[in-house]
Amino acid sequence: MKAKSGGGKASAVAAANIAFIKYWGIRDERLVLPVNPSISMTLRSCLSRCTAELLDDGAETQVFLRTESGELAPAPDGFANGVREQVERLCEWAGESRSMRIAAHNNFPTGAGLASSASGFTALTVAVLGALGREVDPTEMSVLARRSGSGSAARSVFGGYVEWPAGESEDAGHGVQLAPPEYWDLCNVVAIVDPRPKSVSSREGHRLAPSSPYYQRRQEELPGRLEIVRRAIAARDLELLGPVIEKDAVELHLVAMSSRRPIFYWQAGTLAVLEAARQLRSQGVQVYCTIDAGPNVHLICRPEDEEAVAETVERLAQVEFVIRDRVGGPPTLDDRHLF
Amino acid sequence: MKAKSGGGKASAVAAANIAFIKYWGIRDERLVLPVNPSISMTLRSCLSRCTAELLDDGAETQVFLRTESGELAPAPDGFANGVREQVERLCEWAGESRSMRIAAHNNFPTGAGLASSASGFTALTVAVLGALGREVDPTEMSVLARRSGSGSAARSVFGGYVEWPAGESEDAGHGVQLAPPEYWDLCNVVAIVDPRPKSVSSREGHRLAPSSPYYQRRQEELPGRLEIVRRAIAARDLELLGPVIEKDAVELHLVAMSSRRPIFYWQAGTLAVLEAARQLRSQGVQVYCTIDAGPNVHLICRPEDEEAVAETVERLAQVEFVIRDRVGGPPTLDDRHLF
């Protein structure tokens, strides 16, 4: 990846990803190294865009979000601080002492368990390095994106199906592509039961995870599940993939609901969608659910079943709307700047 | 307990109970011995009534339910068979070879996770022994009621607060009263989110329980939790009792949702009531939830908070109605026969 012409300013687009086996629990919070490996599918339509521009020396890094009206507004402090730290980290890595103007935008609900931080920090990392004129291979980009604090950004740097091993060291903590997007055309119908930001952050969830009496047991289950998911992706076998990802997602939430203090990400609509998926399966439709740290449900299915799945969950009273997404590619740089 | 005058026919009333620490998993299905001890509160208003009358020799035992219109109708086969087996068991125990006419009625939803089998089989056992003119002390009654197949009937034989140890032998499997009802006036506001019979029986749930990867871990937690509940009852300390019973109820369902196959008793309304209880607590109301094998939520609170709790959950769209119940006494015999 390389900055487009017009050095000093770059825009990047990166997609969210949906984890089939999720990480829940962090081994090293500073280095952002997870307790367990995770495997995800990078999406096509849930996108974050970021524009980064170098500022003159002496200025402070400024962070903006594009609002619904299309204007830029100063970002809330928490988000702005995370962005500033990542900009500083990347400049330091590049050996430059610079500040930047940053603008960001998501085309999907933010902070609602849809991996908006993965896509957002990947887009930021790609845009900043673009503005600095640095060429970086995806492996190094993955390490740098991960350091933002959003571990799953390590996966959004790649398209298709991606594993993020529980790297033992700083440099080993990067994603690895298991298969490109064109290898297996899977759909992700996202049932949005609540688009608002979740009340407990994933970061807090990772911290609390080991306090659940059931945490260790899930960890013991994971190596076998990861192996099944790898095999299922290699064989493009949804009937092999589906049950294990649905099981693991439910159990991640069981760990959350039994951590001290308990975290209830599930809402009424979450259960309604899980039940709808069981009903669809009883009618022969291959559809399996997974749920990130939030109330919304991702229904993984084949393209020929996408409409039936989407229409079924759209009819549920507790579903606000549905996003029809698919497997997608890696982040890209372009010239469609946000300012 | 003894049959009233008019030997050969007796009517009994018994109450459901709500377990603070539940049993989930059965050690001996034939003897109905649980894997772990349980502790419950016998209720006052969720009642089963049963009338038993000896028939002339040679007749078959007949089983009726009183319908909503007040008529008696033949009971469905599954229920009738369970009743017939218990009648035979009790007659055999009494050394008599008799058949009976049985009629039963619950004043609350049946098979919906409200321990209707505990109250129903306790009432049946008391009525049948009454019709047989047998005096039985509560300890022996508890053993006999348990053998019906509804283990928690072992607890409904006693009023107040009752422990059912994981008896090592047939005769050790009886309830023990920890405190009488007047010792501690606790309320149980039952939020009915679905009054229909649950789709997976408790019996099936007990069978599947050990297949959950988290089953064993919950078992390890139980001795400590049971001890806290005993201490909390002795000290009438709701702040000590509440967190542990809510935690254990949620985790029982976590085991159910992760057993192979998974059982989802929770419905949308279940989560809504759990959330409402957390909100009430954040406002200083001492209220704690427990959930039997079903979607409905029992909110345990003090009498001075009963109205606030009931009104709050009644307002929830997913709550069909509320039962205001309290701690109650043991089963009784009377002459209000169902036929």
Side-chain angles (χ1 to χ4, degrees):
Chain A
M1 280 173 230
K2 203 185 159 194
K4 295 274 159 131
S5 58
K9 184 170 185 177
S11 286
V13 171
N17 65 76
I18 177 65
F20 292 155
I21 299 290
K22 303 170 200 298
Y23 93 102
W24 196 240
I26 197 153
R27 199 173 74 240
D28 185 319
E29 198 167 322
R30 193 181 60 82
L31 293 179
V32 197
L33 292 171
V35 170
N36 60 271
S38 52
I39 298 178
S40 62
M41 170 173 110
T42 298
L43 301 179
R44 186 174 73 179
S45 305
C46 286
L47 299 172
S48 296
R49 172 171 291 276
C50 181
T51 299
E53 186 177 33
L54 290 173
L55 293 179
D56 292 337
D57 288 348
E60 266 213 353
T61 289
Q62 304 158 2
V63 185
F64 299 91
L65 291 177
R66 191 165 73 181
T67 64
E68 285 185 29
S69 63
E71 307 293 302
L72 293 187
D77 281 351
F79 177 74
N81 289 337
V83 169
R84 269 190 215 101
E85 285 171 19
Q86 178 70 348
V87 170
E88 282 171 28
R89 208 176 275 123
L90 294 169
C91 288
E92 191 181 325
W93 170 87
E96 300 204 34
S97 175
R98 301 296 296 266
S99 57
M100 293 202 177
R101 174 176 290 126
I102 303 289
H105 177 69
N106 295 331
N107 72 351
F108 64 101
T110 297
L114 301 175
S116 56
S117 64
S119 54
F121 279 106
T122 299
L124 172 70
T125 303
V126 174
V128 167
L129 293 173
L132 290 168
R134 289 307 186 106
E135 274 193 73
V136 177
D137 68 31
T139 295
E140 185 155 25
M141 186 74 85
S142 178
V143 171
L144 292 170
R146 188 200 83 220
R147 289 297 306 279
S148 66
S150 169
S152 45
R155 298 189 308 251
S156 271
V157 166
F158 298 85
Y161 301 88
V162 185
E163 176 158 0
W164 177 32
E168 285 303 308
S169 69
E170 159 67 355
D171 292 341
H174 58 80
V176 177
Q177 191 184 60
L178 299 176
E182 58 275 17
Y183 184 75
W184 193 14
D185 190 16
L186 274 186
C187 297
N188 177 21
V189 174
V190 195
I192 305 292
V193 303
D194 190 345
R196 295 171 300 177
K198 58 199 181 220
S199 57
V200 181
S201 70
S202 299
R203 182 171 293 208
E204 180 73 2
H206 287 301
R207 281 182 194 148
L208 290 171
S211 69
S212 162
Y214 308 103
Y215 170 75
Q216 196 49 47
R217 191 70 187 82
R218 174 171 177 263
Q219 292 300 316
E220 292 161 16
E221 292 283 326
L222 286 178
R225 292 179 180 174
L226 287 158
E227 189 48 38
I228 289 172
V229 169
R230 287 183 205 109
R231 269 174 30 215
I233 290 170
R236 289 180 280 232
D237 185 342
L238 182 54
E239 274 186 286
L240 180 62
L241 180 77
V244 72
I245 72 171
E246 182 162 318
K247 185 159 71 177
D248 192 62
V250 167
E251 293 177 23
L252 181 150
H253 285 266
L254 306 189
V255 169
M257 288 188 270
S258 56
S259 64
R260 315 292 179 235
R261 60 192 171 97
I263 311 172
F264 281 77
Y265 287 122
W266 288 5
Q267 293 181 17
T270 313
L271 286 175
V273 177
L274 284 170
E275 172 61 22
R278 288 192 291 269
Q279 289 288 335
L280 281 164
R281 283 203 296 268
S282 74
Q283 295 156 23
V285 180
Q286 277 186 38
V287 57
Y288 301 93
C289 297
T290 182
I291 314 165
D292 273 3
N296 303 308
V297 184
H298 301 251
L299 298 117
I300 308 298
C301 63
R302 295 178 302 181
E304 55 265 45
D305 295 323
E306 183 185 31
E307 269 317 297
V309 169
E311 282 171 15
T312 298
V313 296
E314 265 170 346
R315 276 197 299 269
L316 296 173
Q318 301 101 331
V319 172
E320 288 203 23
F321 60 95
V322 158
I323 298 171
R324 289 163 172 78
D325 211 340
R326 295 207 173 183
V327 62
T332 53
L333 283 161
D334 64 32
D335 290 324
R336 293 201 294 278
H337 303 311
L338 288 171
F339 57 85
Chain B
M1 282 172 228
K2 201 183 160 198
K4 294 278 158 127
S5 58
K9 184 170 185 176
S11 287
V13 171
N17 65 74
I18 178 65
F20 292 155
I21 299 289
K22 303 171 200 296
Y23 93 101
W24 196 240
I26 197 151
R27 198 175 74 242
D28 185 321
E29 199 167 320
R30 193 181 60 83
L31 294 178
V32 196
L33 292 172
V35 171
N36 60 270
S38 52
I39 297 178
S40 62
M41 170 173 109
T42 298
L43 301 179
R44 187 174 73 180
S45 306
C46 286
L47 300 172
S48 296
R49 172 170 291 276
C50 181
T51 298
E53 186 178 32
L54 290 173
L55 293 179
D56 292 336
D57 287 347
E60 266 212 353
T61 289
Q62 304 157 359
V63 185
F64 300 91
L65 291 177
R66 191 164 74 180
T67 63
E68 284 185 30
S69 63
E71 306 292 304
L72 292 187
D77 282 351
F79 178 73
N81 289 337
V83 169
R84 271 192 214 100
E85 286 170 20
Q86 177 71 347
V87 169
E88 282 172 28
R89 206 175 276 121
L90 294 169
C91 288
E92 190 182 325
W93 170 86
E96 300 205 34
S97 176
R98 300 298 296 265
S99 58
M100 294 201 175
R101 175 176 288 123
I102 303 290
H105 177 70
N106 295 332
N107 73 351
F108 64 103
T110 298
L114 301 175
S116 56
S117 64
S119 54
F121 279 106
T122 299
L124 172 71
T125 302
V126 175
V128 167
L129 294 173
L132 290 168
R134 289 306 187 104
E135 274 193 71
V136 177
D137 69 31
T139 295
E140 185 154 24
M141 186 73 86
S142 178
V143 171
L144 292 170
R146 187 201 82 220
R147 290 296 306 277
S148 66
S150 170
S152 44
R155 298 188 308 251
S156 271
V157 166
F158 299 85
Y161 301 87
V162 185
E163 176 158 359
W164 177 31
E168 285 303 308
S169 70
E170 160 67 355
D171 293 342
H174 59 79
V176 177
Q177 191 184 60
L178 298 176
E182 58 275 17
Y183 184 76
W184 193 13
D185 190 15
L186 274 187
C187 296
N188 177 19
V189 174
V190 194
I192 305 292
V193 303
D194 190 345
R196 294 171 300 176
K198 58 200 179 216
S199 56
V200 182
S201 69
S202 298
R203 182 170 294 208
E204 180 73 2
H206 287 302
R207 281 183 194 147
L208 290 172
S211 69
S212 162
Y214 308 102
Y215 171 75
Q216 196 49 48
R217 191 69 188 85
R218 175 171 176 261
Q219 293 300 316
E220 292 162 17
E221 292 283 325
L222 287 177
R225 292 179 181 174
L226 287 158
E227 190 49 37
I228 290 172
V229 168
R230 287 183 204 109
R231 270 173 32 214
I233 290 170
R236 290 181 280 233
D237 185 342
L238 182 55
E239 274 185 286
L240 180 61
L241 179 76
V244 73
I245 72 172
E246 182 163 317
K247 185 159 70 178
D248 192 62
V250 166
E251 293 177 23
L252 182 150
H253 285 266
L254 307 190
V255 169
M257 287 188 269
S258 56
S259 63
R260 313 291 180 237
R261 61 193 170 96
I263 310 172
F264 280 78
Y265 288 121
W266 288 5
Q267 293 180 17
T270 313
L271 286 175
V273 177
L274 284 170
E275 172 61 22
R278 287 192 290 269
Q279 289 287 334
L280 281 164
R281 284 203 295 270
S282 75
Q283 295 156 24
V285 180
Q286 277 185 39
V287 57
Y288 300 94
C289 296
T290 182
I291 314 164
D292 274 3
N296 303 308
V297 184
H298 300 252
L299 298 117
I300 309 297
C301 63
R302 297 178 301 181
E304 54 265 46
D305 295 322
E306 184 185 30
E307 271 316 297
V309 169
E311 282 171 16
T312 299
V313 295
E314 266 170 346
R315 275 198 298 270
L316 296 173
Q318 301 101 332
V319 172
E320 288 203 22
F321 59 95
V322 159
I323 298 172
R324 289 164 172 78
D325 210 339
R326 294 206 175 185
V327 62
T332 54
L333 283 159
D334 64 32
D335 289 325
R336 293 201 295 277
H337 303 311
L338 288 170
F339 57 85

